[in-house]
Amino acid sequence: MAEAIHMAGLVDFLRAQPLLALAIVAIFVTVAGGMVRRTVPLLGRLLQGAGNLGLVAALLLTIGQVARLTTTSDFAQPQLGMPEQSVSGGETRIPMSRDGHFWLTATINGAPARFLIDTGATLTAISEQTALDTRVHSKSLRQTINMKTANGAIRAKLATIEELRLGNVVARDLDTVVAPGLGETNVIGMNLLSRLKGWRVEDNTLILVPNHPQQTVQN
């Protein structure tokens, strides 16, 4: 019984870490190819070749994902099948709230959502309920990450927001994390802010300036 529970836990962990699972399978196939090659050379070489390709694919996907989350460059994404993140629009001004933070109502895929702009947050994060309401789904080959919150460490799923509009700024194909325990709070992080031409605070107003200003759409 204990072994079954342990195995089920291992399977769940690997499902949450698809790139690790790919690497493990590739190593297993490579080792099996080496063993088979002694008796069936052709099959052994095929298995080893497939295993090596799997390892290379896992490595490239991991490097691309890390680069995408930690830099402002999307140089590796077309080759890896990930859409290029872009931020455009017109200058947006957000007044400071009474609590000393910058809050705004944005739209995700056309649906409204309340956001806190946090310059100390590396990634944009949305709650599970917001993800459900705005049809943001986690990707099968995007592994989960650990996040530290006021309530302790949590495991969050990586996902992509097709379109996020805040004021006159439009972000497309933006990486985000779907994090349990956020309640009704969603957070705009540096992975969006760093793609702007600039941002600054003047007279208790946060000013966002995109790289590619567009004509303001009148509601």
Side-chain angles (χ1 to χ4, degrees):
M1 182 65 178
E3 291 181 358
I5 295 175
H6 177 74
M7 183 60 66
L10 178 60
V11 170
D12 289 339
F13 174 76
L14 291 177
R15 284 178 178 173
Q17 306 292 338
L19 297 183
L20 176 60
L22 174 60
I24 292 174
V25 171
I27 292 172
F28 176 80
V29 171
T30 301
V31 172
M35 297 174 64
V36 172
R37 189 170 180 175
R38 299 174 184 176
T39 54
V40 188
L42 179 58
L43 178 59
R45 286 196 297 270
L46 289 174
L47 289 174
Q48 286 184 314
N52 290 333
L53 285 176
L55 285 172
V56 171
L59 176 62
L60 290 176
L61 287 169
T62 300
I63 292 174
Q65 182 166 280
V66 171
R68 184 180 174 94
L69 295 178
T70 58
T71 72
T72 60
S73 174
D74 284 334
F75 68 94
Q77 305 323 309
Q79 294 89 334
L80 298 178
M82 299 180 188
E84 180 179 358
Q85 302 175 92
S86 65
V87 178
S88 60
E91 183 178 282
T92 292
R93 294 173 175 264
I94 305 165
M96 182 182 291
S97 299
R98 293 181 179 179
D99 61 4
H101 298 294
F102 295 102
W103 294 86
L104 81 160
T105 298
T107 61
I108 301 176
N109 302 330
R114 182 80 166 158
F115 277 91
L116 166 68
I117 295 184
D118 185 357
T119 58
T122 302
L123 292 173
T124 296
I126 61 176
S127 69
E128 291 182 314
Q129 186 60 51
T130 297
L132 182 64
D133 293 341
T134 59
R135 305 180 304 281
V136 174
H137 306 291
S138 58
K139 305 297 184 182
S140 59
L141 285 179
R142 306 293 297 280
Q143 64 189 74
T144 59
I145 62 174
N146 290 321
M147 293 182 61
K148 292 183 179 179
T149 69
N151 298 322
I154 60 173
R155 185 171 291 278
K157 297 180 180 179
L158 288 167
T160 300
I161 295 175
E162 292 182 10
E163 181 182 272
L164 171 64
R165 290 182 177 266
L166 53 155
N168 295 324
V169 175
V170 182
R172 294 184 174 88
D173 296 312
L174 180 71
D175 285 329
T176 187
V177 290
V178 179
L182 285 181
E184 297 181 356
T185 303
N186 305 293
V187 177
I188 296 292
M190 285 302 299
N191 68 313
L192 188 155
L193 298 179
S194 65
R195 285 178 164 77
L196 296 169
K197 181 177 181 180
W199 58 273
R200 64 189 186 276
V201 177
E202 292 181 0
D203 299 326
N204 293 329
T205 299
L206 177 64
I207 303 172
L208 307 179
V209 184
N211 284 296
H212 307 291
Q214 299 177 354
Q215 184 177 359
T216 301
V217 176
Q218 299 295 333
N219 295 323

